[in-house]
Amino acid sequence: MAQNTPPTKHKKLIDWVEETAKISQPDQIYWVDGSPAEKKRLEKRAVARGFFIPLDQEKFPGCYYSRSSPNDVARTEHLTYICTKTKDECGPTNNWMEPAEGHKKAAEILKGAMKGRTMYIIPFSMGPVGSPFSKIGIEITDSLYVVLNMLIMARVGQKVLDQLGAEGEFTKCLHSRADLDVAHRLILHFPEENSIVSTGSAYGGNALLGKKCLALRIASWQARKEGWLAEHMLILGIEDPKGKIEYVTAAFPSACGKTNLAMLIPPEGLKAKGYKIWTVGDDIAWLRTGPDGRLWACNPEAGFFGVAPGTNTKSNPNAMKTIQKNTIFTNVLLGDDLTVWWEDGEGPSPASGTNWEGKPWNPAFKDKDGKPMLAAHPNSRFTAPAGQCPSIAPNWEDPKGVPISAIIFGGRRERLAPLVLESLDWNHGVYLGATVASERTAAAEGSVGAVRRDPMAMLPFCGYNMGDYFAHWLEMGTSVAKPPKIFHVNWFRKDEKGKFLWPGYGENLRVLEWIVSRCRGEGKAQKTPIGFVPAKDAIDLTGLDLPAGVMEKLLEVRPDEWTGELDGVKTFFDQFGAHLPKELTKQLEALKERLKTKVAA
Ligand code: GTP
Ligand code: SPV
Ligand code: MN
């Protein structure tokens, strides 16, 4: 079989590649070297094959358009499994499969799956190459789309093989798009074997195996064993006028505002204060204890895989600047003028184009329900190098990471959760994280949406029993000498008419300002049964025309409503049985008591 010479002496790796080739039978094997010349060559190949369309290269140098199979546009959580020896290790919130069964099922799908195709070997590093905190993975894939995305999202190529040496540890990441049939779609994680097998999909979170599969599911497993945290979090720095930078991380469920917050631009009203926001990461954070006893965070990724719809110069100017070059656009609208567009995108749409499904499109077209025909899929994405972001922190690739002052949890809640809340202490903060809930966005306006518990925004990404994960979080509070403060935010509270009460986006800096001031022991707060909320006037609203009473509504804590939540939390906790740390039950009981006193008072 044609193969460029394996540029490695790693016997286990070479054997694994050979073994995989025997089963999946590709036409040839190609080891990705990660050079700029290779990238150009592979892009040309993708264009020749027809699945990459170059955009207008004058306006968008190095940018390409791509369209997925219409049934392959998002993560498929119901086909995602944790394959541990016991079901107990996997826990009640993950799908479980026996490792032997997982391997058997995968082998059936992989048999001959790469016939007629090239098998690419992608050596990649999550985190800067050579950092003691980085993890190396090798992705075998038959998808050139995956290769081209991985080149942006991770550090890739010969430098990684050199770092790996002849004996180094790596995560086996085996991917085949197979026939892209959902019937052949499986995303299997074998944490005990440090391996991943993914078939039947080419979508980001299912197929770019460094991202959610390695950097969260496998890494969370390793992090528990090694005493650190792998989290679904953005990382940002807030520089004050004196030049002092405080860093925070924030965990929100998918499509709840991480990329937007990570690239925030100070709002007009706060400009005079001279804040500057630095982006370190927008989706994943690895957190470790530093020699100074603080928690330090690294972004293991090298690019952004961001939600396109809603991104425009008003909502996220830094993202718009980031995606002007060297970017892959997937499932957005392709204008006939070779530009891209999406719902709530930049300016007016192109006069005509081809939509994400490959159908002719113009702004007047209606779908079968009489609604405007969708230009872009709601989960259409851009893949762009992080280094291109105007707000990227100069130290974003520092192997030490950045010291964290605050951890912020959040979700979408039309009611109940106040704009911001500070936990009473670390353990109460873990309780806040463990009980994060987010409403489904399709809920009718103004009505209460169905709540899904999404602890620490990790429900789909925790690679082991979530009860043990809570215990690990609690344990981190004792092992970190100077733990960050923990907060909860909610940008999505609505009024009776279903309108967002808080303007969000850049204005969220006002909330960050209060959070940071609390970390310095300065900001004013008021104690409520559920935690500290900002005292009246503690959040600077200069230049923001909030109607009278709105701030009160945003910060309102109603003990009766919170009491109504308790049963749901208990049911959620009960499923973990003996794996639920007693401390969380204690937190729930203590909250119940605090609320009782308040309701009675
Ligand atoms: P993943 O990449 O899926 O993990 O998502 P994410 O958490 O990075 O979410 P993203 O920043 O892409 O935002 C998703 C959606 O939330 C977009 O439609 C945004 O317009 C919307 N959004 C983000 N921030 C805010 C905010 O402060 N207020 C409101 N109302 N909407 C917001
Ligand atoms: C998410 O779904 O949280 C994402 C996109 O960030 S994916 O890479 O598909 O997981
Ligand atoms: Mn995400």
Side-chain angles (χ1 to χ4, degrees):
M1 187 179 325
Q3 162 164 209
N4 55 343
T5 317
T8 174
K9 294 202 162 54
H10 200 299
K11 174 126 184 2
K12 266 200 197 146
L13 169 56
I14 295 172
D15 289 351
W16 175 55
V17 168
E18 263 174 26
E19 220 176 275
T20 307
K22 242 185 231 153
I23 298 166
S24 57
Q25 298 169 27
D27 271 12
Q28 47 177 330
I29 299 176
Y30 177 79
W31 295 75
V32 174
D33 67 28
S35 66
E38 174 190 71
K39 183 166 186 275
K40 286 230 151 55
R41 230 168 41 234
L42 295 177
E43 284 166 351
K44 264 199 191 147
R45 188 183 295 181
V47 173
R49 301 264 160 89
F51 67 85
F52 254 34
I53 299 171
L55 296 188
D56 177 335
Q57 292 295 303
E58 244 163 66
K59 282 192 195 148
F60 298 99
C63 290
Y64 294 89
Y65 178 84
S66 186
R67 199 176 277 129
S68 78
S69 158
N71 75 358
D72 189 28
V73 292
R75 283 184 294 104
T76 39
E77 293 180 8
H78 66 291
L79 300 173
T80 301
Y81 290 82
I82 305 296
C83 306
T84 42
K85 283 187 199 122
T86 68
K87 192 170 178 188
D88 209 42
E89 277 281 11
C90 156
T93 58
N94 284 315
N95 301 310
W96 178 71
M97 203 185 282
E98 247 176 11
E101 192 194 345
H103 285 302
K104 188 165 161 266
K105 284 211 159 113
E108 279 161 21
I109 299 166
L110 287 165
K111 198 166 169 224
M114 298 188 187
K115 266 189 193 152
R117 298 195 192 138
T118 300
M119 182 168 107
Y120 298 91
I121 321 293
I122 316 169
F124 66 93
S125 173
M126 297 312 288
V129 179
S131 157
F133 305 143
S134 295
K135 299 277 178 198
I136 290 179
I138 308 283
E139 177 155 358
I140 297 183
T141 180
D142 56 359
S143 161
L144 183 50
Y145 173 83
V146 164
V147 176
L148 288 162
N149 276 271
M150 284 293 286
L151 287 175
I152 298 173
M153 295 305 295
R155 283 101 176 159
V156 166
Q158 185 62 47
K159 55 188 186 241
V160 179
L161 285 181
D162 294 344
Q163 176 64 32
L164 186 66
E167 306 278 338
E169 275 291 311
F170 67 94
T171 307
K172 286 182 185 173
C173 304
L174 174 50
H175 170 254
S176 171
R177 42 198 271 265
D179 56 3
L180 293 177
D181 186 338
V182 189
H184 299 142
R185 190 168 300 166
L186 281 177
I187 297 95
L188 307 176
H189 304 74
F190 304 87
E192 289 147 347
E193 303 166 18
N194 195 14
S195 80
I196 302 159
V197 182
S198 164
T199 59
S201 166
Y203 169 74
N206 290 339
L208 311 178
L209 300 186
K211 196 171 174 56
K212 296 307 195 328
C213 300
L214 191 161
L216 287 180
R217 297 196 192 94
I218 295 289
S220 62
W221 172 284
Q222 295 170 333
R224 175 179 49 155
K225 298 229 149 37
E226 298 165 7
W228 51 284
L229 292 165
E231 300 297 326
H232 190 202
M233 290 176 171
L234 67 90
I235 310 167
L236 66 80
I238 304 151
E239 180 174 340
D240 74 9
K242 290 187 206 117
K244 184 167 181 346
I245 307 180
E246 304 249 16
Y247 297 90
V248 306
T249 63
F252 310 149
S254 301
C256 286
K258 288 183 301 302
T259 301
N260 276 274
L261 190 66
M263 299 179 191
L264 176 157
I265 293 206
E268 276 308 318
L270 284 194
K271 278 251 166 77
K273 284 189 164 172
Y275 282 108
K276 168 116 189 56
I277 297 294
W278 295 107
T279 308
V280 180
D282 83 326
D283 197 50
I284 298 177
W286 286 355
L287 302 115
R288 295 167 192 273
T289 314
D292 60 354
R294 296 183 71 185
L295 206 53
W296 291 66
C298 287
N299 169 15
E301 301 191 274
F304 305 129
F305 184 62
V307 178
T311 310
N312 57 55
T313 301
K314 214 168 149 254
S315 65
N316 194 344
N318 280 324
M320 287 308 291
K321 287 191 184 125
T322 308
I323 61 180
Q324 294 306 303
K325 55 181 184 187
N326 308 319
T327 297
I328 301 168
F329 296 91
T330 304
N331 290 342
V332 300
L333 177 86
L334 176 66
D336 287 339
D337 54 358
L338 296 178
T339 62
V340 283
W341 193 79
W342 43 78
E343 276 67 24
D344 291 322
E346 195 66 7
S349 70
S352 61
T354 313
N355 83 348
W356 75 273
E357 293 170 292
K359 293 185 182 150
W361 182 96
N362 82 43
F365 280 8
K366 301 274 186 273
D367 67 12
K368 56 182 185 332
D369 303 321
K371 293 201 195 111
M373 184 180 183
L374 267 192
H377 186 275
N379 192 40
S380 53
R381 300 251 167 186
F382 53 77
T383 318
Q388 288 182 184
C389 181
S391 59
I392 198 76
N395 54 344
W396 78 283
E397 298 191 275
D398 188 334
K400 289 197 306 296
V402 294
I404 298 303
S405 303
I407 291 175
I408 305 169
F409 294 118
R412 270 177 202 263
R413 301 215 74 173
E414 287 184 5
R415 35 167 227 108
L416 195 75
L419 180 63
V420 57
L421 176 70
E422 179 191 330
S423 66
L424 302 172
D425 54 32
W426 180 270
N427 285 0
H428 178 239
V430 174
Y431 173 86
L432 285 183
T435 54
V436 164
S438 227
E439 277 148 11
R440 298 202 184 257
T441 49
E445 290 240 314
S447 72
V448 179
V451 174
R452 153 162 136 159
R453 295 271 157 207
D454 189 349
M456 282 85 171
M458 281 287 278
L459 185 74
F461 307 121
C462 182
Y464 61 102
N465 191 312
M466 203 137 210
D468 298 339
Y469 169 80
F470 296 150
H472 181 47
W473 261 88
L474 291 165
E475 165 59 28
M476 286 299 288
T478 52
S479 67
V480 183
K482 291 181 232 162
K485 274 183 181 276
I486 301 180
F487 296 81
H488 185 284
V489 298
N490 177 20
W491 314 138
F492 300 94
R493 202 148 163 169
K494 288 184 175 174
D495 65 14
E496 303 75 34
K497 296 199 191 88
K499 238 185 108 245
F500 289 120
L501 283 165
W502 179 248
Y505 301 99
E507 307 294 346
N508 293 334
L509 177 60
R510 299 172 191 277
V511 175
L512 293 181
E513 185 186 35
W514 181 77
I515 287 176
V516 168
S517 73
R518 290 295 291 169
C519 295
R520 292 179 180 160
E522 289 164 9
K524 296 223 161 43
Q526 170 194 340
K527 195 167 178 184
T528 79
I530 60 165
F532 295 103
V533 297
K536 195 171 163 18
D537 303 328
I539 291 190
D540 185 347
L541 297 177
T542 310
L544 184 63
D545 266 339
L546 269 194
V550 166
M551 204 56 199
E552 286 71 20
K553 259 198 199 139
L554 279 163
L555 295 177
E556 185 184 42
V557 175
R558 289 184 47 185
D560 54 332
E561 277 190 352
W562 280 93
T563 303
E565 281 276 293
L566 297 176
D567 285 348
V569 172
K570 181 161 188 314
T571 311
F572 180 70
F573 278 175
D574 279 348
Q575 69 181 317
F576 299 105
H579 287 268
L580 185 79
K582 298 229 163 28
E583 176 60 26
L584 289 186
T585 311
K586 254 172 70 187
Q587 287 288 338
L588 176 62
E589 290 306 320
L591 172 61
K592 198 184 272 176
E593 282 311 307
R594 292 196 301 271
L595 287 165
K596 250 189 217 157
T597 336
K598 219 35 190 203
V599 176

